Amino acid sequence: MLEQTIERQDVIIKLEDVSYSYPRSGRWVLKKLNLTVRRGELLVVMGRDGAGKSTFCKLFNGIIPHQAGGQFLGRVVVDGVDTAGSSVPDLARITAMVLDDPQTQLFASTVRNEAAFGAENLLVPADEIERRVKNAIETVGLSGYEDRVPGTLSGGEKQRLVIAAALAMEGKVLVMDEPTSCLDPAGTADFFSILKNIRAEKQMTVIMTSGDSERAAEFADRICILKEGELAACDTPRAIFADAALLRENGIRPPDVCSLADYLARQGEVLPFFPILTEEGVEALWKWKNAL
């Protein structure tokens, strides 16, 4: 009984037979999804374009079913709250959303005002907003930018500002839809450095869609693959990236080190363990070489 209680407390998100179709679409974009997400987990969602990834993200902040229309079946529970029975503003206290293009979420006159906007809408007291904004801006590395106009920031800085605004709301879940798709390599590296800090300092649950296998291998606790709206697989990065057939079927490019390990295996040269990170690949190759 104690073990079951701990397990229930550890789950922050639960999807039960969730299906969804947009108005007048005539097809189900999501189909019979069943999934639980643990508190503090980083879940990366991958799949082909059109697999339902962006629609999946809208389940957790009430856009579906309250604003998108269409037909919604099943049940989504976030931190004990049934999203169908709550409002979008109330769910904003739990779940923050970051889109692929930060420009679409920026409209305040200064960095400080932008970071404070969401918390102000939640009617958080002014002194508490000031504390939250200061902490959020420090976390994303924008200290000293408080009076800058958001439009003058670089793409990576704009994405950091959107994340700061989400953090200032102090929710428990952060949902990000392709957050690095508009960033250059330097901006992407900065983003994942910030994500690492957020996980260490905030212990937030993070759900993120991404096509970046290298980063998913490094940062994800689990990877879910959507295929035509269905959950094709959900497992650890090591299990997902070791399944070459699954990756090919869903148009997912594996990390380079996984491609090398798979190639060697097809040549009859199996590494002592399957690497998913570059440093693991170096170790596996040394062990393989020394065993020859």
Side-chain angles (χ1 to χ4, degrees):
M1 179 67 70
L2 177 60
E3 182 178 336
Q4 293 175 347
T5 302
I6 292 173
E7 182 177 349
R8 286 198 299 271
Q9 291 175 343
D10 191 49
V11 171
I12 191 169
I13 292 171
K14 189 169 185 178
L15 275 61
E16 299 176 346
D17 289 331
V18 172
S19 298
Y20 177 73
S21 65
Y22 285 101
R24 298 179 297 279
S25 72
R27 70 181 185 90
W28 294 102
V29 181
L30 301 176
K31 307 169 188 174
K32 291 283 185 179
L33 297 183
N34 288 280
L35 178 70
T36 58
V37 181
R38 300 185 302 275
R39 292 184 187 276
E41 184 173 17
L42 173 54
L43 182 74
V44 173
V45 182
M46 308 185 81
R48 295 182 186 275
D49 290 345
K53 301 186 297 297
S54 293
T55 303
F56 179 83
C57 289
K58 297 174 184 175
L59 294 173
F60 309 105
N61 62 354
I63 292 178
I64 296 173
H66 298 296
Q67 294 182 348
Q71 188 173 3
F72 171 81
L73 301 175
R75 188 166 180 253
V76 178
V77 179
V78 183
D79 196 33
V81 176
D82 189 325
T83 60
S86 187
S87 66
V88 173
D90 284 341
L91 289 167
R93 298 177 183 274
I94 304 171
T95 302
M97 183 89 168
V98 174
L99 303 177
D100 57 343
D101 184 358
Q103 188 63 48
T104 63
Q105 292 183 265
L106 299 176
F107 46 83
S109 58
T110 67
V111 165
R112 180 184 291 103
N113 291 343
E114 188 68 51
F117 182 79
E120 289 173 343
N121 280 348
L122 296 179
L123 303 179
V124 176
D127 57 342
E128 175 65 11
I129 290 176
E130 184 177 354
R131 181 196 67 80
R132 291 187 185 188
V133 167
K134 182 177 184 296
N135 182 267
I137 286 177
E138 288 177 352
T139 298
V140 302
L142 288 179
S143 295
Y145 288 67
E146 288 85 352
D147 296 321
R148 288 273 299 274
V149 177
T152 66
L153 303 178
S154 69
E157 290 166 347
K158 288 176 181 177
Q159 191 65 286
R160 282 191 267 168
L161 177 54
V162 171
I163 294 171
L167 295 179
M169 297 173 73
E170 294 200 345
K172 298 181 180 179
V173 179
L174 180 60
V175 179
M176 298 186 284
D177 189 11
E178 296 284 356
T180 62
S181 64
C182 295
L183 302 182
D184 59 20
T188 298
D190 286 344
F191 168 83
F192 280 99
S193 177
I194 290 165
L195 181 60
K196 186 176 181 179
N197 291 340
I198 291 171
R199 297 200 70 202
E201 298 175 11
K202 308 294 184 182
Q203 286 82 49
M204 294 182 76
T205 302
V206 178
I207 296 175
M208 178 175 69
T209 67
S210 178
D212 190 335
S213 295
E214 304 283 350
R215 303 290 185 174
E218 182 178 358
F219 288 95
D221 294 309
R222 283 190 300 163
I223 296 173
C224 286
I225 296 180
L226 285 178
K227 181 182 179 182
E228 297 179 351
E230 297 183 85
L231 197 59
C234 193
D235 211 327
T236 63
R238 196 171 306 280
I240 293 293
F241 290 130
D243 192 337
L246 174 70
L247 299 179
R248 285 193 299 271
E249 184 179 345
N250 289 280
I252 296 171
R253 178 182 174 276
D256 290 340
V257 70
C258 299
S259 297
L260 174 60
D262 181 58
Y263 172 78
L264 289 173
R266 285 186 279 110
Q267 304 305 310
E269 302 290 351
V270 180
L271 295 178
F273 64 91
F274 189 84
I276 62 172
L277 304 175
T278 301
E279 55 267 30
E280 291 181 351
V282 173
E283 180 185 352
L285 285 169
W286 273 111
K287 289 184 176 180
W288 170 68
K289 180 182 177 181
N290 291 335
L292 294 178

